[in-house]
């Protein structure tokens, strides 16, 4: 029985345990300071936790509506309209999901057919390509250069063929910390105009943008919005990545198709947490102060690295900072990352794992969504290298 099972062909032959799990396990084993995976090591607002408990006590413990609790969809709709000037109908155009991951997976599954091509910009967060492959699609890559991580829109245009079904865009961008500008979005809009190409817009770090810059949501641009799935994450915004809750907003016809897949993948999302989010989201301070909150952490981390031999450009958004180690070592990034864990007790992510063909750029990714004392200790280690 077992050998037969093993002989069956894997649908994801090239997928290994994710780099986040591998590094996280090693960090725990070696008791290293962990700046690898993207999650905070401080607590969320107690008010939010109280709201979840309250919702449970009030008896919201059975299935929520398949599309998500209506009260939450309503507040999400108001929030998007206020921030980006686009009105999404909470009845037909917003669905609450199990984090952004499920929103992205569902959008890809609902629309990508075998043989379809999906353009992915590398370095890329790791959940896009397996979803494309599971649906028989082919990822077509645009690789960014490590000197500026800017999209070359001419190169991008040249990757479009009659088979292109979808583009995945992520801004603010993990792992580079770059944000896509208004001009970039306008260029993308012109390239996609008059095509049937869909856009999955991964905007999980929408509220973590620095130095007075603005997040350019695809929902702001008329033609892009018509073809876009805006994917967002409450986990990232409210320091509760373990709650795995987010949403997808898209025009009615696209959302209709999206929900056909959503209802059989998860049906609905944790009900008490949705009730709590609906209440908590009503106060815009809960997300509008996040830029300043994380900018303070970024600035503290970078000022603590002043005497180090790492080179860096301050992150423009997300809670990740890339550090160039080429003046310190010529090792491969995965070798250096491993050595940092075992010898220096500090964990980070080697960025080659996000690149095309694991290209080596001589940079490591550090998550600064950490308590001040954690960042201080990490910087002390980094300054000694
Ligand atoms: C770019 C990007 N997209 C999506 C996700 C997943 O978000 P969620 O935890 O809400 O599923 C992450 C998490 O690290 C991410 O960095």
């Amino acid at each position: 029985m077992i050998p037969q099972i093993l002989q069956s062909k894997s649908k994801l032959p090239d997928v290994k345990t994710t780099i986040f799990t591998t590094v996280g396990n090693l960090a725990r084993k070696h008791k290293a300071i962990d700046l690898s995976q993207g999650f905070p090591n401080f607590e969320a607002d107690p008010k939010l936790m109280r709201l979840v408990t309250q919702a449970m006590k009030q008896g919201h413990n059975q299935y929520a509506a398949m599309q998500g609790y209506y009260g939450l969809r309503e507040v999400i709709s108001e929030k998007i309209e206020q921030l980006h000037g686009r009105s999404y109908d909470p009845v037909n155009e917003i669905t609450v999901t199990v984090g952004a991951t499920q929103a992205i997976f569902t959008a890809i599954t609902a629309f990508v057919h075998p043989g379809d091509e999906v353009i992915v910009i590398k370095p890329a967060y790791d959940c896009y390509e397996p979803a494309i492959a599971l649906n028989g699609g082919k990822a077509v890559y645009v690789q960014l250069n490590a000197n500026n991580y800017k999209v070359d829109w001419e190169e991008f245009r040249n990757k479009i063929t009659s088979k292109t079904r979808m583009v995945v865009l992520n801004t603010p961008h993990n792992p580079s910390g770059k944000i896509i500008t208004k001009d970039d979005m306008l260029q993308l809009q012109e390239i996609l105009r008059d095509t049937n190409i869909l856009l999955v817009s991964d905007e999980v770090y929408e509220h973590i943008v620095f130095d007075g810059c603005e997040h350019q949501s695809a929902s702001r641009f008329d033609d892009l919005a018509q073809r876009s799935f805006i994917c967002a994450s409450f986990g990232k915004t409210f320091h509760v990545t373990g709650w795995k809750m987010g949403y997808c907003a898209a025009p009615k016809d696209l959302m209709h198709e999206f929900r056909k897949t959503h209802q059989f993948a998860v049906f609905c999302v944790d009900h008490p947490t949705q009730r709590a989010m609906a209440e908590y989201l009503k106060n815009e301070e809960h997300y509008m102060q996040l830029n300043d909150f994380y900018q303070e952490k970024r600035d503290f981390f970078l000022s603590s690295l002043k005497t180090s031999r790492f080179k860096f450009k301050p992150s423009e958004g997300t809670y990740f900072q890339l550090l160039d180690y080429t003046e310190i070592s010529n090792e491969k990034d995965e070798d250096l990352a491993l050595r940092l864990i075992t010898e220096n007790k500090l964990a980070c992510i080697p960025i080659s794992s996000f690149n095309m063909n694991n290209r080596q750029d001589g940079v490591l990714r550090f998550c600064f969504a950490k308590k001040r004392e954690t960042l201080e200790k990490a910087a002390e280690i980094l300054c000694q290298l």
Side-chain angles (χ1 to χ4, degrees), residues 20 37-39 97-104 124-128 169-175 202-205 231-237 240-247 318-320 354 365:
F20 307 111
Q37 206 179 348
F39 60 85
T97 57
V98 183
T101 308
Q102 188 238 316
I104 294 163
Y125 181 63
D126 65 352
C127 81
Y128 315 136
L169 188 77
N170 168 217
T171 183
H173 184 243
N174 175 13
D202 179 347
E203 304 185 11
V204 300
Y205 300 104
C231 301
S233 170
F234 293 133
K236 298 291 183 186
T237 301
V240 286
T241 57
W243 292 8
K244 286 302 288 187
M245 188 171 288
Y247 63 87
T318 75
Y319 43 49
F320 301 114
F354 296 75
R365 192 199 77 176

Side-chain angles (χ1 to χ4, degrees), residues 325-333 335-336 339 360 362:
Y325 62 82
T326 48
E327 283 186 4
I328 296 170
S329 162
N330 54 13
E331 283 162 282
K332 285 186 168 176
D333 61 1
D335 295 340
L336 178 57
R339 204 159 62 73
Q360 293 290 325

